[in-house]
Amino acid sequence: MSNKLTDGVYDVVAKGYEGNDTKLKVTVANHKIEQIVPKKEIVPNSLEDAVFTQIPRQIINNQTLDVDALTGASHSSKGLLDAVSEVIKQAGGIPDEFKSGKRLSKDISTATAEKDEKYSDWLRKPAHIDKRMDTDFLIIGAGISGLAAAVQAVEEGIKTTVIEKNGFVAGNGGGVEGIFGINTAMQKDAGIHAEKEEIIAREQELGQYRADGSFWVDLVNNSAENIDWLLKQGVQLTKVDDYHGTCAFPTFHWFKGGFASEGYVPYMKQRADELGVNFILNASAKGIIYDGKRVAGAYVETPDGNLAINAKATLLATGGVGHNPKLIAKQGWQTENLHYCSMPSNTGDGYMMAMAVGAKDMLTESAEFMMNYIQALPHKGVHLYIDPINGFMALPSGGPVVFVNQDGVRLVNENVKKDNLLYQRMAIKSTKVTYEVFNQKVYDSITKGVDGADQILADAVQHNEGNSLYKASTFAELAKSVGLPVKTFVKTIKRYNQYALNGKDEEFNKDPEMLVALDEGPYYIARLDPSNLIGIGGVASNRKFEVINDNFDAVPGLYASGMDSTMQYRSVYTITLGGSACAHNVNSGRHAAINAKKYMDSFN
């Protein structure tokens, strides 16, 4: 470097995602950056651990800020680089001289949107292969399901390799709060008992009997043993309940700390390491190795070049399509103003690889964890879904409000979330646009106990991000503010108010306690935009978690688990069985590994 830094120890702050800032101690010795240490405990094998290990190593080894942002953690990476840049300034250096040009990686979802994906591209061999390697079982994705599959596979005596496009394990699974289980030891200790057949029947009813119920039977019957197995691996669970009263049965087992990033991921990664699983991070599958008869591995892009990983069996555990707007639109969802609560890495790679080898396409029948949010209200970060004002159990989810479509008429029982939280957006899927109408009194009742709620609403109206929230003293003014037919809209609200006075909803039979008249201003109207947590499904599989084609025949050598499969759901995630998606992730990962072992044995 042309500029020398003044030796010393410098204290700076790396700005993190959603205010998760990290104080750093940066040591400069012999005029070089020698050490970058976070001044807080970092959870091993976490996103933070990857950021504060891999990026400092690059900075120190090369004495440069020209390093790539960690895939899936561009915000945290930028915060770290900005902090080190501040140290360079304080030490008398010029940050620009530590750069050769901007190299921060693009957000994966943006790169995907720019590229016109063709499934056949996933069969293409790279022009150059830098290294070849062999393994028994290749797992693509290191989230909840991939980690479960990896540990189970090694227990089966299978040589196992896991590739993960992020620089850390967890994927979208780090934000999972808990897991479903029935008649587990924890439930028995808490005096909780439920009949398995009642749960299975309820799920079939909620899914309109459109799914093969044998998948539910397997999942429910395996759930207690799966939890016992997790506990043996070191996973930490704290309590079991009905998830804020939203579940039909008290079967939700909470992870330590309220998230899998604390109670599941570190322990499963540690266990996998102990068993000798080979993890390759920052490694993106770019193609599937397929000879027309069987899948035999994948082509993988890494910072060190292209790998060809030959495998006897391959598992797709890439986390679904929840961050790919094209595939979400293919399901029929609106994507304008779509807010993502998922990892940018969930771009549907597994789905597209499966389609490339002729898998049965279940995407249009699969469920998205799709909710409502209001753009003008605070909505930053991946944890919007638990926000007390704008989250999936708060104001946009419905209740004592009125939903109207582009014609200014009601379209659904606004309290349909009582049956399933995810129903809040199902009817909206069929409209051009849907608005929520409420008054100050209703808003105050919904946000009771939330600090600063009134000021948050006032600020939202004033700034009005996305032209999505308006305040007025009359219903006619509300209609005009968003371009709704004035006469129709006013009649709709007046009719609704009469229903409230009579205590009977003559259109949708809404619960009387939720029929609250909008009889005094000020009034508000807000556009309900989509907020997506995860994609659930897309790739057809059988009960062995083998990927199947349109004739229901297995594609030899290829398996799908976790959010790439989920054959028990159709169109909507039945969240009344809280934690069932996570339970499926573990169950499918484990049994995909078990069945892959049997498949390998059949041709050895």
Side-chain angles (χ1 to χ4, degrees):
M1 287 296 153
S2 61
N3 53 4
K4 289 187 176 182
L5 303 180
T6 302
D7 290 354
V9 177
Y10 299 84
D11 294 320
V12 288
V13 176
K15 298 293 184 182
Y17 205 40
E18 295 185 308
N20 185 24
D21 298 343
T22 301
K23 293 180 179 179
L24 300 175
K25 182 180 77 172
V26 180
T27 301
V28 175
N30 298 318
H31 312 298
K32 294 182 179 181
I33 300 170
E34 185 177 83
Q35 193 176 50
I36 303 170
V37 179
K39 298 172 68 174
K40 71 176 185 181
E41 184 176 350
I42 301 294
V43 177
N45 300 313
S46 65
L47 169 64
E48 282 189 317
D49 188 27
V51 170
F52 291 109
T53 299
Q54 297 182 34
I55 293 181
R57 184 187 303 128
Q58 293 182 61
I59 294 173
I60 293 166
N61 289 346
N62 301 305
Q63 291 298 299
T64 180
L65 295 177
D66 184 20
V67 300
D68 288 330
L70 201 65
T71 303
S74 56
H75 191 98
S76 301
S77 301
K78 185 178 184 302
L80 173 55
L81 291 169
D82 288 345
V84 177
S85 179
E86 176 60 28
V87 168
I88 292 170
K89 288 181 186 177
Q90 293 181 21
I94 302 173
D96 283 348
E97 292 190 12
F98 283 76
K99 303 176 185 177
S100 61
K102 286 189 174 180
R103 290 180 54 203
L104 287 179
S105 62
K106 289 181 180 179
D107 181 279
I108 295 172
S109 63
T110 302
T112 300
E114 291 174 351
K115 182 181 178 184
D116 181 17
E117 290 285 359
K118 295 179 180 177
Y119 302 147
S120 60
D121 289 348
W122 291 88
L123 293 173
R124 191 170 299 158
K125 180 180 178 180
H128 179 72
I129 299 294
D130 297 285
K131 184 179 179 181
R132 297 180 182 274
M133 61 181 295
D134 297 324
T135 192
D136 290 337
F137 194 33
L138 173 61
I139 300 172
I140 304 176
I144 297 287
S145 186
L147 288 171
V151 172
Q152 183 66 55
V154 180
E155 288 187 345
E156 298 294 317
I158 306 172
K159 180 183 178 182
T160 301
T161 298
V162 180
I163 64 170
E164 168 58 52
K165 69 161 58 173
N166 292 311
F168 54 93
V169 303
N172 208 47
V176 173
E177 297 165 280
I179 182 170
F180 160 83
I182 180 63
N183 296 334
T184 63
M186 287 180 67
Q187 287 173 316
K188 292 174 183 176
D189 290 344
I192 298 170
H193 176 76
E195 298 294 335
K196 291 189 291 186
E197 60 271 22
E198 290 182 11
I199 289 176
I200 295 168
R202 177 63 172 159
E203 291 308 305
Q204 287 251 271
E205 178 187 4
L206 289 171
Q208 298 179 321
Y209 299 95
R210 295 173 56 209
D212 181 342
S214 64
F215 288 90
W216 277 116
V217 172
D218 290 346
L219 177 60
V220 170
N221 284 341
N222 291 336
S223 63
E225 195 274 328
N226 284 335
I227 286 180
D228 287 343
W229 179 81
L230 289 178
L231 294 174
K232 290 177 183 177
Q233 310 308 325
V235 169
Q236 301 290 303
L237 300 171
T238 57
K239 62 179 180 179
V240 56
D241 61 21
D242 59 0
Y243 189 73
H244 307 296
T246 64
C247 301
F249 306 93
T251 55
F252 193 86
H253 295 66
W254 288 84
F255 289 121
K256 173 187 174 183
F259 291 108
S261 58
E262 184 171 343
Y264 179 97
V265 174
Y267 302 104
M268 290 297 283
K269 176 59 163 62
Q270 180 180 345
R271 180 61 175 149
D273 288 339
E274 291 171 353
L275 293 172
V277 175
N278 178 30
F279 285 90
I280 307 176
L281 304 182
N282 296 305
S284 299
K286 293 300 181 181
I288 197 92
I289 299 176
Y290 182 60
D291 62 7
K293 294 181 180 179
R294 62 177 291 267
V295 170
Y299 300 113
V300 183
E301 183 180 83
T302 77
D304 298 322
N306 293 325
L307 290 179
I309 303 180
N310 301 307
K312 297 176 182 177
T314 301
L315 173 64
L316 303 174
T318 63
V321 305
H323 219 98
N324 187 318
K326 289 185 178 180
L327 295 180
I328 292 172
K330 183 179 177 180
Q331 293 175 287
W333 292 104
Q334 302 162 22
T335 56
E336 186 177 2
N337 303 317
L338 178 61
H339 178 277
Y340 296 101
C341 294
S342 60
M343 289 293 297
S345 53
N346 293 123
T347 51
D349 296 358
Y351 167 80
M352 290 184 281
M353 282 187 275
M355 294 304 107
V357 298
K360 180 177 176 63
D361 190 349
M362 293 297 293
L363 190 62
T364 57
E365 293 191 59
S366 295
E368 286 290 316
F369 202 121
M370 195 71 73
M371 303 157 285
N372 298 328
Y373 85 106
I374 297 167
Q375 198 176 1
L377 289 169
H379 60 273
K380 304 301 181 186
V382 298
H383 292 140
L384 171 62
Y385 62 98
I386 55 175
D387 187 271
I389 294 179
N390 210 9
F392 78 157
M393 289 185 283
L395 178 67
S397 68
V401 298
V402 181
F403 287 175
V404 298
N405 64 16
Q406 65 276 359
D407 298 322
V409 298
R410 292 176 70 207
L411 62 143
V412 72
N413 175 350
E414 296 87 357
N415 196 41
V416 71
K417 67 177 181 179
K418 70 169 187 175
D419 296 319
N420 186 335
L421 273 174
L422 275 298
Y423 284 169
Q424 66 183 260
R425 191 151 191 94
M426 291 306 294
I428 296 174
K429 190 176 183 181
S430 299
T431 68
K432 180 179 180 180
V433 63
T434 294
Y435 295 96
E436 178 177 275
V437 186
F438 56 97
N439 63 3
Q440 188 69 47
K441 183 168 61 176
V442 166
Y443 176 82
D444 291 342
S445 69
I446 291 175
T447 61
K448 185 178 181 180
V450 180
D451 292 340
D454 285 349
Q455 188 60 51
I456 290 171
L457 180 61
D459 291 343
V461 171
Q462 180 181 354
H463 299 293
N464 198 8
E465 181 181 347
N467 299 315
S468 57
L469 177 63
Y470 295 89
K471 177 181 179 180
S473 57
T474 68
F475 299 132
E477 290 174 9
L478 282 187
K480 291 176 182 177
S481 67
V482 295
L484 289 176
V486 176
K487 289 184 179 180
T488 301
F489 175 76
V490 172
K491 285 182 179 179
T492 295
I493 302 300
K494 286 184 176 180
R495 188 163 54 245
Y496 179 86
N497 282 343
Q498 190 60 52
Y499 295 157
L501 291 174
N502 297 340
K504 181 177 177 59
D505 180 359
E506 296 180 21
E507 291 178 329
F508 297 107
N509 198 34
K510 187 175 179 178
D511 314 77
E513 66 271 19
M514 288 292 163
L515 274 174
V516 179
L518 305 180
D519 52 6
E520 60 180 283
Y523 306 108
Y524 300 86
I525 189 165
R527 188 182 66 244
L528 296 176
D529 286 323
S531 170
N532 193 33
L533 182 58
I534 49 174
I536 305 176
V539 181
S541 61
N542 58 25
R543 290 171 60 213
K544 295 180 181 180
F545 302 103
E546 297 170 306
V547 172
I548 58 176
N549 61 25
D550 286 336
N551 292 323
F552 285 76
D553 297 323
V555 177
L558 188 61
Y559 295 78
S561 68
M563 295 297 92
D564 283 324
S565 57
T566 58
M567 291 290 285
Q568 66 269 31
Y569 300 115
R570 291 295 185 276
S571 299
V572 64
Y573 175 48
T574 45
I575 198 173
T576 46
L577 191 60
S580 66
C582 183
H584 164 76
N585 288 353
V586 172
N587 186 64
S588 58
R590 292 190 67 199
H591 286 87
I594 291 168
N595 289 308
K597 174 63 162 57
K598 294 176 182 177
Y599 167 75
M600 295 176 204
D601 290 344
S602 70
F603 64 81
N604 282 344

